[in-house]
Amino acid sequence: MALTLVTGSAGHLGEALVRTLRERGRDVRGVDRLASPYTDIVGSIVDRAVVERCLDGVTDVLHAATLHKPHVATRARQDFVDTNITGTLNLLEAAAGVRAFVFTSTTSTFGDALVPPPNAPAAWITESVVPAPKNIYGVTKVAAEDLCALAHRNQGLACIVLRTSRFFPEADDDPTARDAFPDANLKLNELLFRRLDLEDAVEAHLLALARAPALGFGRYIVSATTPFVPDDAALVRRDAPAAVRRHVPELDASYARLGWRMAPSIDRIYDNARARADLGWRPRHDFASVLARVLAGGDVRSELARAIGAKGYHA
């Protein structure tokens, strides 16, 4: 019988994964440093004994536990090495023989590659872009990705790396962004180029788990489907509202009704085409669909994202 381990089960994505697996009648085991209704084993993946206990009888692993970018301001760099690298290595070594291993990475790995020079078109980000991490978070996530690649090469472990864009519900950690837009307005704008709904993140992980044995290894960008195409990149950087109007003609009337505004410029666009093609992923939440939901009185977040809510990072 299949048993799926979810690491970081008290976090946003971990809880969402456990909830969804349980609802679908799947056997799941959650592990986290924090006790929660979705955590079966309380302990750290840095502890090899805890990891070996967690992996007992497991057939699949969804590895979502991590220190995040907001922790850069509050945690030592060694903590990132311990959790994001050593914790991942512990899991990979103990997971020899499991059917599939899915690692939650981040688009933050791209780092400086996300910011084009002044007056250049917006950066069009695909899996072919070489990461240039700019902080300890990005460095440790790239290293953990490479450990997954090594486990596939040397152990034959089927590993899929998902570079997720931002899906957290908390206010932006950039005070400039927080001050410039209402929170829901900012998050809707980001669905054009750098945001992902939690519900779609879960579906990408479950599809990756199912496809991993056939794919062997792969790295995929997981972000909401952008309406933009590469030919839009120059206009997106120069005049983002004009670029949006090309694809969403009702933008001005809709935003006037909401009292919202579009960002004047967008510097990068995440392209999820490879994930849609290889994983069969069909994200439901994009700019146009969420705009329609908000205009109808709904929330920018999916039902699952609302149910889980905000957890914070610095308890």
Side-chain angles (χ1 to χ4, degrees), residues 157-181:
L157 183 62
C159 288
I160 300 296
V161 170
L162 299 182
R163 289 174 171 165
T164 61
S165 63
R166 48 180 61 190
F167 54 78
F168 50 81
E170 283 79 9
D172 199 287
D173 60 342
D174 179 355
T176 302
R178 288 199 306 269
D179 294 343
F181 298 91

Side-chain angles (χ1 to χ4, degrees), residues 70-82:
H71 292 127
V72 171
T74 60
R75 302 292 291 269
R77 288 189 291 271
Q78 185 63 51
D79 293 338
F80 282 85
V81 173
D82 293 343

Side-chain angles (χ1 to χ4, degrees), residues 2-15:
L3 173 61
T4 301
L5 175 68
V6 175
T7 70
S9 58
H12 292 110
L13 178 58
E15 178 181 329

Side-chain angles (χ1 to χ4, degrees), residues 113-125 229-239 265-269:
L114 298 173
V115 183
N119 302 317
W124 190 266
I125 305 298
V229 296
D231 286 347
D232 292 324
L235 183 59
V236 162
R237 187 80 187 281
R238 184 175 69 251
D239 185 350
S265 175
I266 291 172
D267 61 1
R268 93 286 305 265
I269 301 162

